[in-house]
Amino acid sequence: MTAWAHSLIRISNYEVETLQKRLSEISARKASAEMRLAVLEAEAEVERERARMDAEAGMLLQAYLAGWKARKGAAESTLSTLDAEEEGARDALTGAYSELKKFEHVAETTRLNALIAAGKRETAAFDEMGLRKRSA
């Protein structure tokens, strides 16, 4: 493999690994946001149940639910942002992986062409040796 091909492949591998790490981080943040949303749902259900059993808590439920809706909206907004970020990271990773495969293909084609050329030179050298023997 030529030095330029090796360098391009190494750089492309680094880019793919970096994008894989980025996608992993985004996925972890997304899982955390989904968990936060599930916790908010559970908290609201607990407060609704408490309001059913306690009249004072029932009076405060509407104020709690107003704040809860704001927190839920923020969590859903974060989740939709992370969905878009994850999609972008996946697209970038797909592109980087495609570039890596192109470089690997070019390097392999170059290597095979070099082998074919060496084989042709060897065959030509043997043909020339055969012709010299025959002439002598």
Side-chain angles (χ1 to χ4, degrees), residues 1-125:
M1 182 180 323
T2 61
W4 63 267
H6 182 67
S7 294
L8 286 174
I9 290 171
R10 191 175 70 236
I11 290 168
S12 292
N13 270 325
Y14 177 75
E15 184 176 356
V16 166
E17 289 171 4
T18 301
L19 290 170
Q20 285 173 334
K21 288 177 187 174
R22 178 174 169 230
L23 183 59
S24 174
E25 291 168 358
I26 292 168
S27 294
R29 290 189 350 239
K30 184 179 173 186
S32 175
E34 289 170 344
M35 182 61 73
R36 188 174 30 225
L37 197 57
V39 166
L40 282 172
E41 292 287 341
E43 287 175 352
E45 189 57 39
V46 166
E47 288 299 320
R48 285 185 187 111
E49 186 62 34
R50 183 182 303 165
R52 283 187 204 104
M53 296 191 180
D54 184 9
E56 188 178 326
M59 289 186 281
L60 299 174
L61 181 63
Q62 293 307 314
Y64 173 80
L65 289 178
W68 175 82
K69 285 180 184 178
R71 289 193 313 267
K72 182 181 178 193
E76 287 173 339
S77 173
T78 300
L79 194 57
S80 66
T81 301
L82 287 171
D83 282 338
E85 192 175 344
E86 182 180 40
E87 184 177 337
R90 286 188 190 282
D91 290 344
L93 180 59
T94 300
Y97 190 73
S98 176
E99 288 296 313
L100 171 62
K101 291 301 158 190
K102 287 178 188 176
F103 291 142
E104 288 176 344
H105 177 72
V106 168
E108 182 64 14
T109 302
T110 303
R111 185 186 71 80
L112 291 175
N113 287 340
L115 287 174
I116 290 170
K120 286 181 180 179
R121 284 191 303 270
E122 183 181 27
T123 301

